[in-house]
């Protein structure tokens, strides 16, 4: 199966925006910058990490999107959202494929 045959999900990309509270604190919210991009998900082996005496599951994935002017604007500090199930993913790395036709985005599901 070709890569294009696996681009069966729609995703959106959100940029973090900071809002200052009345007490001077920062609240991070997200602003949608790109939406409706066809993507393919390849899930990697998940892991478990103990944080503050709690077990927290992690689900890493590699998401493939076509390389285009709009997808070249994606930054590693943004997040990716699967529009089908609403899950958000923290972007870890963005790498073009060898043929430079696609971007492979390594990310991890967030709660």
């Amino acid at each position: 199966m070709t890569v294009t045959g696996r681009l069966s999900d729609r995703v959106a990309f959100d940029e973090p925006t900071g809002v200052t509270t009345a007490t001077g604190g920062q609240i991070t919210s997200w602003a949608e910058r790109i939406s409706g991009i066809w993507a393919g998900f390849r899930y990697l082996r998940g892991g478990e990490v103990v944080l503050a005496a709690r077990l927290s599951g992690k689900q890493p994935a590699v998401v493939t999107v076509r390389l285009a002017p709009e997808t070249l604007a994606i930054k590693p500090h943004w997040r990716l959202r699967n529009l089908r199930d609403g899950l958000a993913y923290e972007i870890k790395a963005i790498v073009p494929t060898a043929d430079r036709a696609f971007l492979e985005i390594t990310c991890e599901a967030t709660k």
Side-chain angles (χ1 to χ4, degrees), residues 37-102:
I37 301 295
W38 285 106
F41 281 77
R42 184 180 51 164
Y43 294 97
L44 306 174
R45 283 186 19 209
E48 294 179 341
V49 178
V50 177
L51 297 172
R54 294 184 316 195
L55 197 59
S56 173
K58 298 198 179 273
Q59 179 57 64
V62 175
V63 179
T64 303
V65 298
R66 288 186 189 278
L67 191 139
E70 62 188 351
T71 57
L72 284 174
I74 300 165
K75 305 292 183 228
H77 63 279
W78 290 14
R79 76 174 182 186
L80 176 149
R81 274 183 303 112
N82 187 335
L83 296 177
R84 180 184 306 210
D85 60 18
L87 282 177
Y89 295 82
E90 179 183 339
I91 296 174
K92 302 292 187 180
I94 304 167
V95 180
T97 57
D99 62 4
R100 304 193 72 67
F102 298 92

